[in-house]
């Protein structure tokens, strides 16, 4: 199945994904492509495929994406190959994507579980974004504006989990995955 983590900047989705991968050998991370600049410490092919706009358009033309979205002025996309290959190997795929992308994946794919990750409150989200240290005031304001908009969409998703403690939050998500696997709808009885 596909597990989508959505939620505003500062909710801690990326860190959560990493934690969940430690807990679950059957889980594979869907590595996205983006046109945004690489941040300090980020590694090509590990954090993202960092593409120029031209390369991104080329991948898009060749049908290499399952979904694409423009987020905070940059393009992001989920490469198709790896997701389809992992699913056919009976692996579960975890995605850290925005709300627009999540809506596309939910429509296109079967077996999707969507989990909205919330920061404890917006002030904490702002603090977490600031700690990353790479945004100017306008960018920070934009992220906070998008965060408020995204939270209003929460009812479109299957679950909501507040990330006030990374380990606890990862445990809750792991439990959701286990429970979903036992859903009658997913069983070939
Ligand atoms: P960041 O630039 O902080 O890594 O990510 C910004 C936003 O883009 C986050 O909400 C993240 O979930 C989203 N994002 C990352 N990869 C993808 C993707 O492949 N598709 C979509 N639609 N959003 C993505």
């Amino acid at each position: 199945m596909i597990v989508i983590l959505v939620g505003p900047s500062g909710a801690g989705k990326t860190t959560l994904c990493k934690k969940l991968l430690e807990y679950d050998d059957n889980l594979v991370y869907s590595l996205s492509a983006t046109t945004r600049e690489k941040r300090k410490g980020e590694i090509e092919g590990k954090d993202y495929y960092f593409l120029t706009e031209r390369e991104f358009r080329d991948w898009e033309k060749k049908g290499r994406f399952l979904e694409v979205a423009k987020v905070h002025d940059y393009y992001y996309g989920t490469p198709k190959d790896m997701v389809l290959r992992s699913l056919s190997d009976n692996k579960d795929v975890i995605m850290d994507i925005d709300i627009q992308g999540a809506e596309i994946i939910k429509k296109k794919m079967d077996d999707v579980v969507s989990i909205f990750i919330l920061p404890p409150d917006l002030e904490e989200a702002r603090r977490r974004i600031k700690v990353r240290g790479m945004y100017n005031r306008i960018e920070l304001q934009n992220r906070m504006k998008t965060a408020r908009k995204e939270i209003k969409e929460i009812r479109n998703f299957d679950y909501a989990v507040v990330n006030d403690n990374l380990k606890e939050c990862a445990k809750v998500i792991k439990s959701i995955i286990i429970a979903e696997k036992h859903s009658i709808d997913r069983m070939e009885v």
Side-chain angles (χ1 to χ4, degrees), residues 11 116-121 160-165 168-169 172:
F116 198 101
I117 309 298
L118 282 154
D121 54 57
V161 185
V162 177
N163 181 16
D164 48 7
N165 175 301
E168 285 308 312
C169 185
V172 173

Side-chain angles (χ1 to χ4, degrees), residues 77 97 187:
I97 59 179
M187 290 205 178

Side-chain angles (χ1 to χ4, degrees), residues 76-91:
Y76 291 80
T78 302
K80 198 190 282 177
D81 271 10
M82 195 273 235
V83 174
L84 300 186
R85 207 176 334 115
S86 303
L87 291 176
S88 73
D89 288 346
N90 272 327
K91 299 270 185 196

Side-chain angles (χ1 to χ4, degrees), residues 7 13 32 36 39 48 67 69 71-72 76-78 96-98 101 132 135 143:
K13 290 173 288 167
S32 297
R36 83 147 160 76
R39 290 179 197 142
Y48 279 107
E67 62 77 33
V71 190
H72 312 128
Y76 291 80
T78 302
D96 162 2
I97 59 179
D98 89 314
R132 291 186 202 153
Y135 305 113
R143 289 207 167 219

Side-chain angles (χ1 to χ4, degrees), residues 3 25 27 45 78 80 96 100 104 113 133 148 156 168 172:
V3 181
D25 290 341
L27 201 59
T78 302
K80 198 190 282 177
D96 162 2
Q100 309 165 71
I104 300 172
V113 179
R148 280 188 210 96
N156 294 338
E168 285 308 312
V172 173

Side-chain angles (χ1 to χ4, degrees), residues 72 126 129 135-148:
H72 312 128
R126 185 196 297 274
I129 297 168
Y135 305 113
N136 61 36
R137 204 167 53 88
I138 304 287
E139 283 170 329
L140 182 64
Q141 274 172 4
N142 279 343
R143 289 207 167 219
M144 293 311 295
K145 205 165 127 197
T146 310
R148 280 188 210 96

